[in-house]
Amino acid sequence: MKKKIFLFIVLFFIILTYPKAENIINYDWSFNKTNYNYGYGLNNVLIVNNKYLTWHIDKENFNNIITLYSESGNELTSFEPEIENPIVDIIYYDNNYITIDKLGTIYKLDKDFKIIRSITNSEKNPIINDKSELKISQNTIYYIDKINNNIFSTDYQLNNYKYYTLSNKNTIEQILTSIPFLNEADKIYFSYLENNEDVIITDIFENNSFYYITSYNKKDTDLKSSLKLVDENLNVIWEDTYNDLIPINVLQFKDYIFVLSTSPENQNYNIKVYNKEHHLINEEIIKLKDKNAIPISFIADDRNLLIKSIIYKAEKVLTLDIAENYSEIIIDKYNIKLFNIKSVIKGEGTIEVDENAITGDLVKFKIIAKNGYKLEKLSIKDIDGNSLPLSDYTFKMPSSDVTITAIFVPENPNTSDNISNLILLFSISLVILIISIYKHKRCKI
């Protein structure tokens, strides 16, 4: 009996002291829940000069509302641009705001969201899409409706509007010939669709002429999903498969890759974090402010993630007013634990290392001694002064700032001392010689 009690106590303390996974993504705050919208547009939040802009449709009068928030989430001011139809997306470019509405009309707005110029889509085909964004490439503003495969575009001066439907174009060559302004990531998007007819692509973005693709393929009860890094010829350079998760979005934050995924039943939302060597360094389930929220996309600023979610209203429509069926947009902000790496150098040499890193990352650095010098001592300590284990100039980033101290000394200190003594002796001899010459001249006088 005593043995069982002893084993129970030991087991209890083992469980109590067992290291738990460190959360690096912490919930911060949420944008105001009055963000009612059709749900169109990839982001519904724009970061400009360390402030956040959101846009939505007012639930009562259906006006477009653009709201400006501070970094701490406080509402600063709001604007009501004279745009009749719901805003789909906004970008900031050349000190102006560019926006597109539900019917494809493109506007150029000033800093107070007053209309400078606009150009209308004569086709009047509505945008039905929440997975694309307004872009500028080769002096052309364009938006791809990835639900209907339509493209709305104009030159940057808003003089010439063009509307493309891709339903009759069967090859990527036809698309690229007729629509030459597409950026490289969108060219890869259409190329990948052409080669993988049974794959639904959730996201593609460009990184140094390589492209990250999240995709999933569901046949019956089998789910296969992955994150791939491909080149411009769609050759797979690196791949990680999930199978039990559906990737929603991928983005780059500093030197890290973040992948937002969900379970097939939309019960849990997961973020995987990879470092620049594509090692998985963290995986955690995120909590949304509203339990009924369904994440669609996320973006990042210097130290935060912003996740856009939609809540679909299920109330019965008792009148002709269909507003109750509109989607509610929520923007949740999460702070990322990013710690600083400080370099302290004594002697002649340098340390090459990233300025900051995420907890759990394997940080690699280089020590470079100046010619004639060598590394005598190297230490890596956390903020409390505790030494960190080091292997091949690599250490695991803790949950605190880190200081790397390198002390460099001459490779041959004896030779160095002799040279120093010779220099000192020569200097003294020179001074004595100058004094002697000076006294000799005075004697002659």
Side-chain angles (χ1 to χ4, degrees), residues 349-399:
T350 58
I351 301 173
E352 291 185 359
V353 66
D354 293 334
E355 292 181 353
N356 40 53
I358 287 174
T359 300
D361 191 10
L362 293 176
V363 179
K364 295 182 179 180
F365 62 97
K366 291 182 179 180
I367 297 291
I368 304 173
K370 189 177 179 181
N371 288 338
Y373 285 80
K374 64 180 180 179
L375 178 67
E376 181 185 57
K377 187 177 180 181
L378 176 67
S379 67
I380 304 174
K381 296 184 178 181
D382 64 16
I383 198 169
D384 296 321
N386 301 314
S387 296
L388 303 179
L390 175 65
S391 176
D392 295 329
Y393 295 110
T394 302
F395 65 91
K396 189 174 183 179
M397 191 69 184
S399 298

Side-chain angles (χ1 to χ4, degrees), residues 59-60 62 316-326:
K59 191 177 180 181
E60 303 299 329
F62 298 94
K316 292 182 180 179
V317 181
L318 301 178
T319 66
L320 294 178
D321 186 356
I322 61 172
E324 295 299 328
N325 282 337
Y326 292 167

Side-chain angles (χ1 to χ4, degrees), residues 140-374:
T140 301
I141 303 166
Y142 72 96
Y143 186 92
I144 303 175
D145 181 345
K146 292 182 179 178
I147 301 297
N148 296 314
N149 281 328
N150 297 326
I151 295 181
F152 308 81
S153 75
T154 177
D155 60 288
Y156 181 64
Q157 289 72 31
L158 273 62
N159 291 323
N160 185 19
Y161 198 103
K162 290 188 177 181
Y163 170 81
Y164 305 86
T165 178
L166 307 180
S167 57
N168 297 324
K169 299 186 186 303
N170 298 319
T171 67
I172 181 63
E173 288 80 9
Q174 288 177 298
I175 292 173
L176 298 183
T177 300
S178 60
I179 312 172
F181 53 77
L182 293 178
N183 69 18
E184 295 303 317
D186 286 325
K187 291 177 184 177
I188 293 293
Y189 171 80
F190 287 110
S191 298
Y192 201 83
L193 278 182
E194 185 178 62
N195 293 347
N196 299 270
E197 296 178 358
D198 59 343
V199 172
I200 298 175
I201 301 172
T202 52
D203 201 15
I204 292 182
F205 76 92
E206 183 177 2
N207 179 23
N208 298 326
S209 298
F210 295 98
Y211 306 88
Y212 286 97
I213 301 173
T214 58
S215 62
Y216 71 94
N217 181 358
K218 188 173 183 181
K219 290 184 178 180
D220 299 326
T221 58
D222 294 332
L223 174 65
K224 293 182 179 180
S225 59
S226 67
L227 169 67
K228 295 179 181 179
L229 179 67
V230 302
D231 62 16
E232 60 185 4
N233 296 316
L234 301 182
N235 297 313
V236 177
I237 299 168
W238 170 83
E239 180 178 9
D240 192 9
T241 56
Y242 300 163
N243 297 331
D244 57 337
L245 292 171
I246 298 174
I248 299 172
N249 259 157
V250 56
L251 64 80
Q252 183 176 11
F253 172 82
K254 305 291 184 179
D255 285 330
Y256 299 93
I257 300 298
F258 283 66
V259 183
L260 174 63
S261 302
T262 181
S263 61
E265 301 80 18
N266 289 332
Q267 293 178 342
N268 293 316
Y269 298 101
N270 174 293
I271 289 184
K272 291 179 181 256
V273 185
Y274 302 84
N275 63 12
K276 54 189 173 185
E277 283 81 26
H278 295 106
H279 296 143
L280 180 65
I281 61 172
N282 198 77
E283 181 177 358
E284 58 189 84
I285 294 174
I286 59 166
K287 300 295 183 183
L288 301 170
K289 183 176 181 181
D290 195 305
K291 65 179 181 179
N292 297 315
I294 302 174
I296 287 181
S297 65
F298 65 159
I299 60 175
D301 59 13
D302 284 343
R303 288 196 175 245
N304 306 288
L305 289 180
L306 299 168
I307 298 180
K308 170 190 171 181
S309 304
I310 287 183
I311 298 178
Y312 289 103
K313 295 295 182 181
E315 294 92 341
K316 292 182 180 179
V317 181
L318 301 178
T319 66
L320 294 178
D321 186 356
I322 61 172
E324 295 299 328
N325 282 337
Y326 292 167
S327 302
E328 183 177 337
I329 299 296
I330 296 178
I331 307 293
D332 286 324
K333 181 186 173 195
Y334 298 80
N335 179 261
I336 299 173
K337 284 187 180 178
L338 192 69
F339 295 101
N340 298 321
I341 301 173
K342 181 182 177 182
S343 297
V344 176
I345 299 170
K346 297 179 181 179
E348 300 296 327
T350 58
I351 301 173
E352 291 185 359
V353 66
D354 293 334
E355 292 181 353
N356 40 53
I358 287 174
T359 300
D361 191 10
L362 293 176
V363 179
K364 295 182 179 180
F365 62 97
K366 291 182 179 180
I367 297 291
I368 304 173
K370 189 177 179 181
N371 288 338
Y373 285 80
K374 64 180 180 179

